[in-house]
Amino acid sequence: MANKTVIIGGVAGGATTAARLRRLDETMEIVLFERGEYISFANCGLPYYVGDVISERDNLLLQTPEAMYQKFNIDVRVLNEVTSINTEEKKLVVKNIKAGETYEESYDQLVISTGSTPIKPPIPGINGDKIFTVWTVPDTDRIKEVITKHNPKSAVVVGGGFIGLEMAENLHHAGIRVTLVEKMNQVMAPIDYDMATLIHENLHSNKVSLQLEDGVLGFRENTERGTITVELESGKKLETDFVVLAIGVKPNSELAKTAGIVLNQRGGIIVDEHLQTSIEDIYAVGDVIEVTNPILNNKTMIPLAGPANKQGRIVADIIVAKSSTNKVQSKLVNSNRKQYNGTIGASIAKVFDYDVASVGLNEKQLQSFGKVKNVDYYTALINQKSHAGYYPGATPLTLKLHFDTEGKILGCQIIGSEGVDKRIDTVATTIRLGGTIYDLEELEFAYAPPFTSAKDPVNMLGFVAENILNGLVTLTEVAELDEMKEDKVILDVTEDIERMVFEIPDSYHIPLGQLRKRINELNKEVPVVVYCAIGVRAYNAARILMEHGFKKVSVLAGGVTFYKSMHYADRLQDEELQVAEHIMESDKDDTMKEEYNQKIEEATDKEIKILDCCGLQCPGPIMRVNETVKNMNDHEVLKVSATDMGFSKDIQSWCRRTGNTYVKAERINNENIVTIQKGSTVESLPSSNSVMNNDREGKTLIVFSGDFDKVLASFIIANGAASMGRPVTMFFTFWGLNALRKTDKKNVKKPFIDAMFGKMMPKGTKKLKLSKMNMAGMGTAMMKKVMKDKNVNTLEDLMKQAMAQGIKLIACTMSMDVMGITKEELIDGVEFAGVASYLGDAEESNVNLFI
């Protein structure tokens, strides 16, 4: 009598098991039960069928019962549900759903591949007709029918995991306005929060409304309007045409539980390395089982198609090796594939402009396991290009790697528009083979400019990780920088044109090329966090500082490019962006829309220049634009293409600062196409020039006092404003002029009264006294000592920094005449002017202080 294997459930695990069994044993009797009508379909492709990316429904059906019988002689019974398992008698009770009858089926080996089911929590109204899940072909058919027959305008997707994000994208492609609701503070739980902000930013760029940290309280149908209202925990109410639930999945393990098979706390079937359950001759594969993550040997649930397919193949080998009498087949007993060695969770998804991939453990998991298993880990976060920057079409890649003190790779996440799959697969393979960060350094890649760089981004991950372990560099993550309370210097080593586009608040600017000459402007005892666009120049600057004796130096991970994405929500508060969005998104003012579009058409009709900046990474595109616009005539229009994701927002800031007109931005084939016009001749556009004309960002200070503490406060304020990129003018008059006097005596011929004045007044900063508690100079000396002990810069250092930052120090010539002070007695670099000059700067300022 032939050996008999029965499989419960098809799709990835079950269908693969059945096919592999037949290839290994032609005599075995194989029966596959599926309670649905499809045994093998591409459930990962269902969202793309909704969005018409996959146009043919039949392309989703990988195998039919008829084909399985003809090709593999397998008895496939769809619409037959196994309702119970008698483990002692090795029999199943099966219900024929179509006929409504039940019957028994025996087995020698049983494989449970019942998969998982979308979670539907007990929320009021959740079973309404306008609420859908996306897990099976019939699920997708129902959503397709709604879109085709009812032409919905809006949809709410609940859940920000793989399915939720893919549905949001594909519903958007179908012309539907999408709101995505997620109870966590981020989408896509397998990746870290900071990486998820890149997706948040991109969802917003693609007009998907994102409601984070907000759960659903209930659903209420509006029968008169034919809509449904989603009530959120925050009190918000979202009225929409239909809802897609993508909250997550749970294992279909009730059948196993009632049979006495041991489950874990999450309902997953516990299996050994041979994929056998707690009952002999009963195996389980796919979403329904608990697996081991071999990185830290922790137990987990990973519902992915790839592992399910491999488990199906391995369990077939195990069953045949154990049950067959054929000598060739029995060799499988000694096969290395005779056991399943766990899942490291390699995954990838397409989310609008980005491919998002991860493998291994994320920071939340590492922090959780660290408390139990004493795991100490480091993180490397870098920005690279998908291939050589000089070859057209290079796009940015953000890579994040977690590793331990020995260099063991614990996890990796990558986000970008091209080449993400290649890199995550490389890291995943390295993990599987027991490789370390040092192996990442040495990996050899097939190199040509269209495909990668001579040092592939994965190599760069290895290089940076090794530098971290060797103490050559320390990375400060954006969140860490935001939370730092102690005194620090945030050092910007970008070029002037880059700082014009964006600067981190309270940062101090020294371009990398000037750092060695101006290094004395920095205090060696104060922590320095260095940043540039992506981190390369910042690393070079950090090495310079460390070689010059600076002890507390770190590099901002990911550079200002990553920083901007982490703070994208703050940038949306920019008045210019709000105005532009209001005009383009308002459904109420069609006249305003028409006027706006007409202005755009008039501007683009005049277009005479095209600039290709594809492949250039920040700040390359901005610098090329700046050079090009300088040589253009007023009113000329420039169209720029760039693959840098942040370019369209950066160019708006550049236009605002330079008085040019931002016209529009488009996203076409992974490129940002931005149109700008030189000057401010496109009237009524919500562009930077209109903001520029009303945005007086200068700061002016009148320094009237000659008291040490007041002059000190003046320079602290002035340096702070200058470090934010604001033009600053300090106007010294009467007693304030003493702060600008040279300390050494100058032989200058003066009238008697003028000479007497000079002797009675302090010469320079070292002779200034406190306004209060001076105590014959003791108070001033005590103040200076406290400043030194607290690492506060001296007044002399602050003055040097001010002049280095371009702050204008103006000495009032009228006051000089009255006080009897000559130009020769004042320090170098001071300008001499009257009140009119000061008032001219004051008119361009929004802050004016009298000290």
Side-chain angles (χ1 to χ4, degrees), residues 264-283:
N264 66 11
Q265 291 183 340
R266 296 173 59 186
I269 298 175
I270 297 176
V271 296
D272 62 15
E273 68 274 17
H274 305 297
L275 295 166
Q276 183 168 266
T277 69
S278 58
I279 296 178
E280 189 176 1
D281 291 329
I282 299 181
Y283 303 85

Side-chain angles (χ1 to χ4, degrees), residues 36-81:
E37 56 184 308
Y38 303 98
I39 59 159
S40 183
F41 59 90
N43 52 356
C44 296
L46 298 180
Y48 300 100
Y49 174 58
V50 171
D52 277 336
V53 177
I54 298 174
S55 57
E56 296 297 328
R57 181 180 182 274
D58 288 347
N59 290 342
L60 298 171
L61 307 178
L62 306 180
Q63 285 284 4
T64 64
E66 295 77 18
M68 286 287 282
Y69 179 75
Q70 292 172 1
K71 294 179 181 178
F72 301 105
N73 189 28
I74 294 172
D75 182 2
V76 177
R77 305 178 197 176
V78 296
L79 297 175
N80 277 255
E81 181 180 8

Side-chain angles (χ1 to χ4, degrees), residues 240-255:
T240 187
D241 292 325
F242 68 99
V243 174
V244 176
L245 293 179
I247 301 173
V249 296
K250 60 180 179 179
N252 293 328
S253 58
E254 280 300 315
L255 182 64

